[in-house]
Amino acid sequence: MVEKLQCIISLLVGFTVFLFTNSCSKQGTINNFVQNESGTTGSLTDKPLASYQNRLLGLAFETAAAIPAKPHIKDRSRAQEKVVSAALELDQPLQALSFIEKIDNWRRGSGYGDLALYCAKHGFTDEAQQYVNLAIQVSESAADWRRDHIRVKIANTYVLLGQNQEADQHGTGVADAERGKIAAVKATIADKDAFDEHMNALEALLVSNNYDIVDNALQACAQLFHRFYDDTVRRSLVEEKMKTSWEKLPIFRRVECLTDLAGFALDHGDQAKSLALVNEAQTFMDGVQWRPEHRIPLTSKLVRLRFGAGDEQKARTDADILLALFDAERNKMVNIDRAGALRPLAEAYQSMGNMATALAVYKRIVEEGIENPNSRPRAEDLADTCISMALHEVGPDDELWHRIHQIHDGLGDPW
Amino acid sequence: MENITKILCGVVVSLFIAGTAGAATVKVTENISTSTTWTSDNVYRMEKQIFVLPGATLTIEAGTVIASTTGAGGSLAVARGAKIFVNGTKDNPVIMTSTDDVATWAKDASHPSGGDPKTGKWRAGANEWGNLTIMGKGLISASHFGGLQVGNNTKDPSGLNEKQMEGLTDPDFSLYGGKDDNDDSGSISYLSLRYAGKVVGLGNELNGLSLGGIGRETDISHVEIMNNVDDGIEIWGGTVNLKYISIWNVGDDSFDIDQGWRGKAQFILVVQGYSLDAKQGSGVGDNCFETDGAEDSDAQPVTTSIIYNATVIGNPIDGDHGTAWRDNARVQYRNCIFMDLGERLVKNDGNDGDGANGYGFNGTLSFEDTWKTDYTVTSNINPCIGCNEGEFNHAKTLYTTQTSGKLAEITDSVFFRNLHTDAYSESDTVGVTLSGGSNPDKNNVVISGSDSSDAPIVSITRGALFTSSEGKGVLPIISLDPLPANEALTSAGMAPDDGFFTPAQYRGAFSATDNWLDGWTASDAYGMTSTSSDGCDPESMASSTKVLKISNGDSGDVTVSVVGKDACPSEGVTVEANIRKQHAKRIEISPVSAETDANGNAVFTITGKKKGSAKVTFEAEDLKTVLKVKVKK
C-alpha cells in the first residue's frame, strides 16, 4: 500500500515537473526563436519526410557506420557527422540524435553541439540545454582544435538562448580561427537597432589580417546581408565591406562568399541581384586555372544559382559544358576525387528541374564512387551521394536503389 | 577475390625464414592499391619505391619489422588520399630498416635464426633503403623553386598549390598540397626509422620522415630517426603536430621545416653526429633545426609554429647551428635545452639556397624585426599573382598555433657549453641572450661552467673523434642519459593545456623520471641511452570498478589505471577498449582508445543501449582487464 502510494506520488511529482519544464522551456530565449516552429509547446519531433529521403538518410548512416572503427575511427566519425548535419537540415532532430549517439569519438560532442543549436533555433530551450550539456561533457575530453570546434557550437547555442554570459564563457579562449563563427550566429539574430554595433564588431575582425578571422567574419557579414536584405542601404554597406575585405582570401573563398550572397538574394526573390553576384563569381572563376575536381563543383553551384536567377539558358549550357569537361578530364583525376566532383553537378541539374539528367548523373556518381578498390573511400562516397540525393530530393529509381544496396552490401575488406 | 589476387600480386611470400624470430619474409614489389595490413609474423622487404595509392590504407601491426634489402632502394610513400596507420607500442615498435641492420640483431633462444629487435649494434651507415614519405592536402607555399615559378602555383594561400615531393620517382602519385589543413593521413605511433635515405634513379637523397602538406587530423607520436643520410624529419607546409620525436646521427639537418608549416611539436630530442663518411649534409650533421618560411620568402602560408621542450645536443667540433632561420620563418622555441652546438645558437641563414630571397624580401619583416614583433602583428605586403585584381598576402594568414609572445623567440630555455666564438653573437642581437650570458627577461639561462656536473642533462658520453674524408670532425655520442639536471629541472612557464601540449614544467624533452626512449628505439637497443633512471613501465592495469550498472540510455564513466613498479602511474600509455562482439548492441563506449594521463588514468564513458550484460576488455601493451556492464531497463 505504502509502495503504491509512493508510486502515485512519484508519478504526480514527475508530471508536475514535466508540466513545469515544458512551460518553462520556451522562456528565456530571444524573440526570434521564442517558440518552436509549430508555435506549440510540444516536444522535439521529426518533421514528415518522404520515405525515400528517410531511407537515403538511414542508408547513408549505415554506410558510414560500416567503416571499421579500427583503424578508421576518424574517417567513420567524420562520415557519420555529415549524416547528422543532413538529418538536421531535413528537420529530423530525433533521427539525428540516434545517429549522434552512435558516434564513437569527439565528433559525438560536435553532433550534440549541432543538435543543441538546432533546438535553440527552433525554440526547444530545455532540449537545447540538455544537448549543450552533453556537448560540454564531450568537449572537456577533446584535444586541441577539436575542443574549439565543439566549443564554438556550445557558445552559439548560448547566443541563441540569449545566455550571453555562458556564450562568452565558452567562446573565451577559442582559437581566433573559430571566433568569427560565433559572430556569424549573432548576426543571424541581430536586432535592427544593433546593426551598427554588429558592423563595428565585424569591422574589427575584418581588419585583423588573420585569414581565419576574416573568413569567419565574412560569413557573419553574409548573415547580416541576409538579415537586412530589405534595407538597401545597410545591405549595400555590408556587401561593400565584404568586397573590400576579401582580398586577403583565396579566390575559391571569394567565390563561395559570392555564392552565399547570391543564394540569399534569391531567398528574397531578387533575381537581378543574384545574377549580378553569380556573374561576379564567374569572373573570378574564369581568371584562375583550376584542376577539374575544383572547377566542376564550384561552377556547378553557380549554375544552380544562375538558373534560379533567371538566366536559364546559360545555366543549362554551363552544366552541359561541365559534364563534358568531366568526361574530357576524368582520367586526369584521381579516382577518389571523381564522385565528389560530379555530385554538385547532379544537384545543379536537379535544381534546374532536369530530373532525368540529375538521376543519370547520380548513377554515374555511384559508379565513379566504386572505381577505387577499397571500401573506405567507396563507403564515404556512397554516404555522401545518399545525403546529396536526400537533401536535393532526388529519389532513386529501382535500378539505382538496387545498385546502391548492392554496393552497400558489398562493402568489406579491403577497407 | 579480385582484391585478394591484387594483394597477392603485390607481394611475394618468400619460402625462406627471415632473421627475426622465425618470421617469413614478404617481398613487396608493387604499389599498394588495396588496403593491406602488414603483420608482425612477417618481415617485409621493399625492393623499390612502394606507393600506398589514393583510397588505400596500409596498417602496420605492432612489432612488425620492415627490413629492405640494403642498397636495393626500397621505400614507402603514402600518396595524397591514402592513409597509413603505424600501430607500434612501447614494447613492440614498428621498425623500418635495412637488412644490414637486422644482421646486427642478436641471436638467442627466442630468436634462433637471429634477429631480436631489442638488440643490435650501431654502425656508421645510412642510405641503405629509402624512407617513409607521407603526402597530404594541407596548404603549402611553394610558388617558386630555384627562382622559377612552380607550375601554376601562386604566392597567395590559394589552396591550389601543389608540388612534386623530392626524391620520389612516380610523377602520378608524388604530389602534395591542397586546401584542407584538417586533412587526415592516418596515425603513427612508436616507429623507428633507421639507416635510410636512398633514392633510386635520382641524384638526391631522402629524409628519414618526409611530411608534405600533412593536415592536423593526422596523429604522429613516438618516432625515431637513427642514421639517415639526409635530414631527420622534413616538413613542408601543412599543420601536422608531432610529439616524442628522437633524431639521432643524421647526415644533414635534424629537424627541417619548409613551405609554411603551421603545426606544434613537443618533446623533441636532437642528437647530432654522423651517419656516413660523406660530406656535411649527406652524412655529417649540419643544422639542428633548420626553419625555412616560404618559397618564395614573401609567399603564404609562411612557417609559423611553436616547439616546446626540445633537447638539442650538437656536434661541438663541426656541427652547424642550433637554429638556422631562413625565408621569413616564424618559430617559437620554449622550454628547450641547446648544448654543445658547433656554431651559433641563432643564425640568420638568409635564404635556403634554392632561389628564395630571405627575410625582408619584398617588404616582409626583417630578421631582427621578426623577433620584436608580436605574434598578432601582420604584414600586408605581397604581390598578387594569378588573380584579377590586387591581392595582398599578410603575415598571419592561416596561422593559429602561436597564441602569445613574439613571432620568433627562444624563451625559458637553457644553454650549455656552446663554445664557438660566435655561439651567442646573433642570439644577443635578437635578445635571446645578453652579451653571451643569461637573459632573465626571457627566462633564458646560459650556464657559465662547462663541467659535466653543470650540464642540464644527467650524463653524456662521447666516443673517439671521427674525421670525415671532407675533414669534418665529429664527436659521436655513444651513451646518453637525457633526463634533466640543474637548470633544466624546472622552468618558469610551461606549455598550455590545450589538448595537444602536455604542461611540463621543465626544460628539455624529458621529465626527471621518464626516459621515453626506453623500450622502442634503436638508441636503446644499441645501448646508447641509459635506462637506469627510467620512469614507470606499465606493470598492471585495473578499472575503477569490476561491474558497472547503468540504465538503458544512461552513461557511466570508468577509469582505467595503469601503474608500474611501486604503483607509480604510467603516463602516455594507450588503452584500448574492446566490446565483446556479441555484446556490441547492448552498450557503446567512448572513446575506444585513450592515453593515460599523468596519474596513469584513462577515462571511458559507457552508454547503455539495450538491456542485458556486456563485457569490455581494456588492453594496453601486454596488459588487460575486463569490465562487466549490466544494462537495466
Side-chain angles (χ1 to χ4, degrees):
Chain A
M1 183 64 186
V2 174
E3 282 179 3
K4 277 187 181 174
L5 192 60
Q6 282 174 335
C7 180
I8 291 167
I9 291 169
S10 299
L11 285 171
L12 282 172
V13 169
F15 186 60
T16 309
V17 168
F18 172 77
L19 287 177
F20 178 77
T21 52
N22 266 291
S23 65
C24 291
S25 69
K26 308 301 174 290
Q27 294 175 4
T29 55
I30 46 178
N31 292 337
N32 307 63
F33 301 99
V34 75
Q35 285 190 319
N36 63 50
E37 284 178 348
S38 63
T40 69
T41 55
S43 56
L44 198 62
T45 53
D46 289 345
K47 286 191 177 170
L49 191 68
S51 64
Y52 76 86
Q53 287 174 294
N54 251 320
R55 198 173 154 196
L56 283 167
L57 274 185
L59 198 60
F61 193 82
E62 266 183 45
T63 304
I67 299 172
K70 284 185 182 176
H72 295 295
I73 181 70
K74 289 183 281 183
D75 299 289
R76 181 171 85 165
S77 304
R78 196 181 306 116
Q80 288 173 317
E81 193 187 2
K82 283 187 193 175
V83 192
V84 169
S85 300
L88 291 173
E89 203 173 328
L90 291 169
D91 291 311
Q92 307 296 302
L94 297 183
Q95 195 171 15
L97 177 60
S98 72
F99 292 156
I100 291 165
E101 289 175 341
K102 293 185 178 72
I103 298 176
D104 282 334
N105 76 355
W106 66 274
R107 288 188 188 271
R108 180 191 293 200
S110 179
Y112 281 132
D114 281 332
L115 181 57
L117 203 54
Y118 177 92
C119 291
K121 274 181 186 168
H122 293 82
F124 295 100
T125 313
D126 282 353
E127 289 84 349
Q129 191 63 59
Q130 180 187 344
Y131 298 124
V132 90
N133 287 341
L134 290 170
I136 290 169
Q137 206 176 315
V138 178
S139 75
E140 284 166 354
S141 58
D144 202 19
W145 60 277
R146 300 167 175 99
R147 178 159 50 188
D148 284 355
H149 183 87
I150 303 173
R151 285 171 65 190
V152 164
K153 294 178 181 182
I154 294 166
N156 278 337
T157 302
Y158 281 124
V159 167
L160 292 186
L161 293 174
Q163 299 177 31
N164 291 330
Q165 200 177 336
E166 284 81 0
D168 289 346
Q169 182 195 331
H170 289 277
T172 303
V174 166
D176 290 346
E178 300 282 348
R179 268 194 289 123
K181 291 178 184 167
I182 302 171
V185 168
K186 286 181 176 171
T188 64
I189 56 170
D191 190 272
K192 292 200 170 179
D193 297 334
F195 177 84
D196 292 338
E197 189 187 328
H198 280 280
M199 272 313 289
N200 290 339
L202 289 174
E203 276 190 52
L205 297 176
L206 289 169
V207 298
S208 70
N209 283 343
N210 178 301
Y211 173 91
D212 293 307
I213 294 175
V214 172
D215 193 18
N216 289 319
L218 283 171
Q219 289 176 38
C221 284
Q223 291 296 336
L224 279 181
F225 177 91
H226 182 32
R227 178 140 180 75
F228 292 94
Y229 197 87
D230 295 333
D231 183 336
T232 315
V233 175
R234 285 177 166 175
R235 187 227 302 168
S236 301
L237 187 68
V238 174
E239 186 182 344
E240 191 184 337
K241 180 54 66 184
M242 289 178 73
K243 290 180 178 175
T244 55
S245 305
W246 69 23
E247 287 178 355
K248 307 159 185 83
L249 293 183
I251 301 292
F252 76 88
R253 280 299 300 131
R254 297 185 216 175
V255 170
E256 287 168 351
C257 279
L258 285 165
T259 306
D260 289 344
L261 296 187
F264 289 140
L266 275 189
D267 290 345
H268 291 274
D270 190 346
Q271 283 188 313
K273 179 66 185 170
S274 181
L275 187 57
L277 291 163
V278 166
N279 285 333
E280 204 175 331
Q282 189 65 54
T283 305
F284 277 125
M285 288 298 302
D286 294 342
V288 177
Q289 284 190 306
W290 304 86
R291 292 173 72 92
E293 59 266 36
H294 297 136
R295 177 180 291 279
I296 295 169
L298 280 169
T299 313
S300 294
K301 287 177 187 164
L302 296 180
V303 164
R304 192 150 50 93
L305 291 163
R306 182 180 295 283
F307 186 87
D311 191 0
E312 297 184 2
Q313 188 53 47
K314 181 164 168 46
R316 289 186 200 283
T317 306
D318 285 354
D320 292 343
I321 289 171
L322 290 174
L323 197 53
L325 176 69
F326 180 84
D327 288 331
E329 302 284 320
R330 179 181 179 278
N331 291 335
K332 293 180 188 166
M333 283 187 261
V334 174
N335 58 22
I336 59 170
D337 292 337
R338 292 176 191 157
L342 270 185
R343 220 171 278 123
L345 186 54
E347 293 164 3
Y349 277 116
Q350 180 275 340
S351 70
M352 294 189 293
N354 192 344
M355 299 302 282
T357 309
L359 191 59
V361 175
Y362 273 119
K363 285 180 181 177
R364 276 195 74 174
I365 292 168
V366 163
E367 297 304 325
E368 293 292 358
I370 57 167
E371 277 288 302
N372 193 280
N374 300 290
S375 284
R376 177 185 58 79
R378 286 180 172 194
E380 287 169 346
D381 264 327
L382 186 63
D384 286 348
T385 304
C386 288
I387 288 170
S388 169
M389 285 191 288
L391 289 175
H392 293 85
E393 300 177 8
V394 177
D397 59 13
D398 289 345
E399 181 194 353
L400 185 53
W401 273 123
H402 176 71
R403 191 69 181 119
I404 288 172
H405 280 286
Q406 201 175 27
I407 294 168
H408 171 267
D409 295 346
L411 293 173
D413 285 334
W415 284 97
Chain B
M1 189 61 193
E2 184 192 354
N3 289 334
I4 293 170
T5 310
K6 282 182 181 171
I7 293 168
L8 290 177
C9 285
V11 298
V12 179
V13 181
S14 299
L15 295 176
F16 61 89
I17 300 298
T20 54
T25 293
V26 177
K27 287 187 179 178
V28 186
T29 56
E30 298 295 333
N31 289 342
I32 296 168
S33 59
T34 55
S35 297
T36 301
T37 299
W38 288 356
T39 54
S40 59
D41 54 349
N42 295 317
V43 169
Y44 294 85
R45 186 165 294 173
M46 297 179 292
E47 301 283 321
K48 53 181 253 195
Q49 284 192 353
I50 300 296
F51 285 77
V52 185
L53 299 183
T57 300
L58 174 62
T59 304
I60 307 178
E61 278 185 355
T64 303
V65 173
I66 298 102
S68 295
T69 307
T70 297
S75 194
L76 185 63
V78 181
R80 233 173 12 180
K83 289 180 193 292
I84 184 167
F85 292 91
V86 177
N87 297 329
T89 64
K90 184 174 179 180
D91 286 337
N92 290 296
V94 170
I95 299 172
M96 294 190 184
T97 190
S98 68
T99 47
D100 279 8
D101 178 37
V102 172
T104 72
W105 299 1
K107 296 177 183 179
D108 56 29
S110 306
H111 306 85
S113 54
D116 179 355
K118 303 259 182 199
T119 65
K121 184 172 168 44
W122 184 86
R123 300 169 291 121
N127 216 25
E128 294 176 357
W129 65 286
N131 83 337
L132 174 60
T133 296
I134 309 177
M135 291 159 282
K137 298 176 182 171
L139 278 124
I140 61 168
S141 59
S143 63
H144 290 74
F145 189 79
L148 299 173
Q149 187 176 354
V150 176
N152 295 316
N153 288 356
T154 59
K155 289 196 172 187
D156 64 317
S158 66
L160 302 175
N161 288 1
E162 55 188 11
K163 192 170 184 292
Q164 173 94 17
M165 175 59 75
E166 66 182 38
L168 297 187
T169 54
D170 185 327
D172 292 333
F173 299 110
S174 301
L175 291 171
Y176 64 93
K179 63 176 181 180
D180 185 4
D181 273 340
N182 291 334
D183 194 28
D184 170 18
S185 297
S187 66
I188 294 177
S189 59
Y190 291 101
L191 170 65
S192 176
L193 297 152
R194 311 171 183 179
Y195 297 103
K198 185 173 182 61
V199 174
V200 175
L202 292 175
N204 53 6
E205 299 144 350
L206 289 167
N207 310 297
L209 175 63
S210 294
L211 302 168
I214 303 301
R216 59 170 66 86
E217 199 151 10
T218 309
D219 300 302
I220 298 181
S221 76
H222 294 92
V223 175
E224 173 197 45
I225 291 95
M226 172 66 80
N227 272 50
N228 200 71
V229 70
D230 199 29
D231 298 334
I233 289 181
E234 184 156 7
I235 308 173
W236 293 269
T239 52
V240 66
N241 301 325
L242 305 95
K243 219 169 181 180
Y244 298 106
I245 306 293
S246 171
I247 304 168
W248 200 317
N249 287 346
V250 300
D252 195 3
D253 308 313
S254 297
F255 197 114
D256 196 347
I257 301 164
D258 293 279
Q259 295 176 4
W261 175 53
R262 288 148 294 123
K264 309 172 190 178
Q266 189 180 25
F267 305 127
I268 310 292
L269 173 67
V270 168
V271 178
Q272 276 201 312
Y274 75 102
S275 55
L276 278 180
D277 183 0
K279 66 177 184 178
Q280 192 165 33
S282 296
V284 175
D286 195 350
N287 294 313
C288 298
F289 281 97
E290 183 174 286
T291 52
D292 289 22
E295 291 171 348
D296 202 348
S297 309
D298 58 344
Q300 301 280 356
V302 66
T303 294
T304 308
S305 49
I306 180 162
I307 295 170
Y308 269 97
N309 297 96
T311 294
V312 179
I313 306 171
N315 165 28
I317 306 300
D318 275 322
D320 280 352
H321 312 295
T323 61
W325 302 70
R326 297 167 164 183
D327 300 331
N328 214 10
R330 295 106 193 267
V331 182
Q332 298 173 332
Y333 295 91
R334 294 175 178 170
N335 296 44
C336 296
I337 296 170
F338 288 91
M339 60 181 283
D340 289 349
L341 301 177
E343 291 192 33
R344 302 177 190 214
L345 170 61
V346 173
K347 168 66 179 174
N348 175 7
D349 247 4
N351 64 68
D352 62 4
D354 292 328
N357 284 287
Y359 285 88
F361 172 62
N362 196 27
T364 55
L365 287 174
S366 69
F367 180 66
E368 289 75 15
D369 284 346
T370 304
W371 292 77
K372 295 174 192 163
T373 304
D374 287 345
Y375 81 101
T376 51
V377 177
T378 61
S379 163
N380 63 357
I381 297 184
N382 223 319
C384 171
I385 295 176
C387 52
N388 294 325
E389 58 186 45
E391 181 168 334
F392 83 86
N393 252 325
H394 55 89
K396 296 276 288 179
T397 297
L398 299 167
Y399 312 121
T400 58
T401 50
Q402 294 187 351
T403 57
S404 63
K406 307 295 181 188
L407 289 167
E409 60 176 57
I410 300 176
T411 53
D412 209 348
S413 294
V414 58
F415 316 120
F416 174 66
R417 215 161 50 194
N418 299 315
L419 303 177
H420 191 277
T421 49
D422 281 326
Y424 298 114
S425 57
E426 284 190 75
S427 62
D428 282 349
T429 306
V430 295
V432 173
T433 50
L434 291 175
S435 304
S438 302
N439 183 349
D441 286 348
K442 305 284 185 187
N443 293 310
N444 286 333
V445 178
V446 177
I447 296 173
S448 52
S450 294
D451 291 344
S452 296
S453 59
D454 299 323
I457 61 173
V458 170
S459 71
I460 181 171
T461 306
R462 292 185 182 270
L465 175 68
F466 165 81
T467 304
S468 71
S469 302
E470 189 190 26
K472 297 289 182 185
V474 180
L475 283 172
I477 292 175
I478 56 173
S479 180
L480 176 71
D481 185 338
L483 302 194
N486 299 313
E487 301 288 351
L489 281 166
T490 189
S491 57
M494 57 186 157
D497 184 9
D498 67 351
F500 169 76
F501 283 126
T502 301
Q505 194 152 23
Y506 49 84
R507 293 166 176 147
F510 298 84
S511 72
T513 56
D514 182 21
N515 182 352
W516 48 261
L517 299 173
D518 180 28
W520 64 280
T521 58
S523 54
D524 186 37
Y526 301 161
M528 297 162 77
T529 179
S530 164
T531 55
S532 59
S533 49
D534 286 344
C536 188
D537 290 341
E539 290 186 356
S540 68
M541 178 165 70
S543 59
S544 52
T545 178
K546 287 285 176 196
V547 181
L548 176 69
K549 293 178 182 172
I550 49 176
S551 298
N552 190 10
D554 285 349
S555 298
D557 285 350
V558 172
T559 302
V560 175
S561 303
V562 182
V563 297
K565 195 177 176 186
D566 300 327
C568 64
S570 295
E571 184 182 1
V573 179
T574 301
V575 180
E576 296 196 338
N578 295 300
I579 303 171
R580 190 169 288 183
K581 200 172 181 182
Q582 59 267 39
H583 298 159
K585 288 183 178 171
R586 295 178 187 152
I587 58 167
E588 285 179 348
I589 192 159
S590 179
V592 293
S593 172
E595 209 168 84
T596 54
D597 61 18
N599 297 317
N601 294 331
V603 180
F604 296 86
T605 302
I606 294 172
T607 306
K609 287 164 60 183
K610 191 177 176 187
K611 183 174 178 258
S613 295
K615 280 190 178 172
V616 179
T617 304
F618 296 102
E619 294 179 70
E621 302 189 1
D622 297 329
L623 306 172
K624 67 170 67 171
T625 186
V626 177
L627 169 73
K628 191 172 182 183
V629 184
K630 290 185 176 174
V631 183
K632 298 179 288 182
K633 265 188 181 174

